Amino acid sequence: MYFPAYRPRRLRRTEALRGMIREVEVNAKDFIYPLFVVPGAGVRKEISSMPGVFQLSQENLVKEAAAAHELGVPAVILFGIPEEKDAVGSHAHRADGVVQRAIEALKRELPSLVVITDVCLCEYTDHGHCGIIVRGDVDNDATLKVLAQEALSHARAGADMVAPSDMMDGRVGAIRHALDEHHFQNVPIMAYSAKYASGFYGPFREAAESTPQFGDRRSYQMDPGNGIEAIRETRLDIEEGADIVMVKPALSYLDIISAVHAEFDLPVAAYNVSGEYSLVKAAAAKGWVDGDRVMMEILTSIKRAGADLILTYHAKEAAALLRSC
């Protein structure tokens, strides 16, 4: 069927017609809202490179999570900045750690909110790497034991889901084994299965205070040039017990999201990361783009690529915008 018999513009004439044939729509229930929790009280410190994103003490964290949840956002993911850091990230698995206490507060105040926790060591180590350093390099297998302890401490505090983000080999299996052994077999694992060594993480490192003090993370995060490896990494995580698989970052890796969605039948999450967020905010502040419109276009592209869940710092404002439409 060709022009003039077929005219695609007929179905684009009005908003109602466009809405009727829209293939993909973003919904607040798609979002997972990343939040940064710090010790103390009365803290609401804005991240200079991420306007609208804050380090929050526990009571302000609960308020921020409640505001997002009221707008329909079903889940948050917590990143903790501890009072003290050391070489082995020992504050990561303390029962009275900053994340563990935040989990308890959120589950007490907002029982219907899904609380997911980041399982990694970079926020807790004084060297800023995601694992235990031995002879100048991250020791994969020594790190697994600490990650399993960390995930277990989150489950004990009441976390609904844990999300290992470190990219160590075998960490999903080690965490699954630890959770099952201690009767947390119903706690799902959302694995950062295809996490790339990306320049888009810069603002996050300010927020999480996790900049590596030497070298970089390219020996354990993926090379941006690799696509087939993403499928292999994802398959390994699924075989080890992942319940949800993730691609990170999202916007420059839409092809990877699409490939993972096509290859596997598990839910796929995508992380709309800090650098992607900050680019939109900076351009909007300059008046170079319509921030709201670009935000929604980006989120729609991530969902169209195949993501079922989107971790995004835009979660609250996007949910508010969707509600106002």
Side-chain angles (χ1 to χ4, degrees):
M1 187 163 50
Y2 300 101
F3 177 84
Y6 178 57
R7 293 175 181 267
R9 287 183 59 194
R10 287 179 188 132
L11 294 178
R12 300 180 196 143
R13 285 189 303 110
T14 69
E15 182 56 37
L17 283 170
R18 290 190 292 273
M20 287 171 65
I21 63 163
R22 189 163 294 135
E23 298 171 23
V24 171
E25 283 192 291
V26 174
N27 191 292
K29 68 180 175 56
D30 302 325
F31 300 148
I32 298 172
Y33 190 22
L35 293 172
F36 300 93
V37 59
V38 296
V43 180
R44 186 174 170 83
K45 179 185 174 186
E46 190 168 35
I47 311 305
S48 64
S49 56
M50 300 177 72
V53 177
F54 301 84
Q55 289 183 342
L56 301 164
S57 52
Q58 186 176 297
E59 81 284 11
N60 285 325
L61 178 89
V62 171
K63 289 177 187 174
E64 185 71 10
H69 198 37
E70 197 279 328
L71 290 165
V73 176
V76 298
I77 182 166
L78 300 183
F79 298 88
I81 296 95
E83 222 156 8
E84 296 177 24
K85 302 188 181 203
D86 59 28
V88 294
S90 55
H91 280 247
H93 49 83
R94 287 176 57 139
D96 62 349
V98 65
V99 163
Q100 290 81 353
R101 286 186 166 171
I103 297 165
E104 293 166 356
L106 286 169
K107 294 309 296 181
R108 184 170 59 246
E109 301 296 329
L110 302 165
S112 62
L113 179 74
V114 175
V115 178
I116 307 169
T117 57
D118 176 65
V119 177
C120 193
L121 296 183
C122 62
E123 304 108 291
Y124 301 93
T125 53
D126 52 14
H127 45 73
H129 278 282
C130 302
I132 308 301
I133 300 295
V134 176
R135 292 185 288 277
D137 193 15
V138 174
D139 186 313
N140 190 95
D141 295 7
T143 301
L144 298 185
K145 297 172 187 171
V146 185
L147 293 172
Q149 285 180 288
E150 183 181 6
L152 194 54
S153 74
H154 293 172
R156 283 176 172 143
D160 296 293
M161 189 184 303
V162 295
S165 64
D166 54 285
M167 288 300 284
M168 296 302 117
D169 296 336
R171 86 275 199 222
V172 173
I175 290 170
R176 185 73 271 161
H177 177 76
L179 292 174
D180 290 355
E181 188 178 36
H182 292 84
H183 309 294
F184 291 107
Q185 61 270 23
N186 290 327
V187 174
I189 297 175
M190 179 171 69
Y192 288 58
S193 300
K195 181 179 181 180
Y196 286 87
S198 171
F200 284 98
Y201 302 152
F204 173 92
R205 290 172 184 166
E206 180 194 351
E209 301 179 7
S210 61
T211 303
Q213 298 305 300
F214 62 89
D216 54 41
R217 295 177 176 137
R218 284 182 289 180
S219 71
Y220 45 98
Q221 295 178 353
M222 287 177 51
D223 188 303
N226 292 352
I228 296 170
E229 186 185 9
I231 300 299
R232 191 160 59 243
E233 284 275 9
T234 303
R235 181 173 289 113
L236 284 170
D237 282 357
I238 292 171
E239 289 173 353
E240 290 177 21
D243 300 279
I244 298 173
V245 293
M246 189 196 300
V247 176
K248 179 183 180 181
L251 197 52
S252 295
Y253 298 85
L254 295 176
D255 58 326
I256 305 301
I257 297 171
S258 180
V260 170
H261 171 74
E263 184 74 17
F264 303 106
D265 59 0
L266 285 188
V268 177
Y271 203 139
N272 176 213
V273 300
S274 59
E276 297 167 352
Y277 172 88
S278 298
L279 289 176
V280 173
K281 290 297 180 186
K286 292 279 190 181
W288 293 340
V289 299
D290 178 334
D292 285 349
R293 186 172 176 179
V294 168
M295 169 183 72
M296 296 311 299
E297 197 170 326
I298 287 172
L299 295 172
T300 302
S301 75
I302 295 168
K303 187 165 183 182
R304 193 181 63 241
D308 301 289
L309 301 164
I310 304 172
L311 292 80
T312 177
Y313 302 97
H314 293 295
K316 191 172 74 165
E317 63 180 324
L321 190 63
L322 287 165
R323 179 167 285 189
S324 69
C325 293

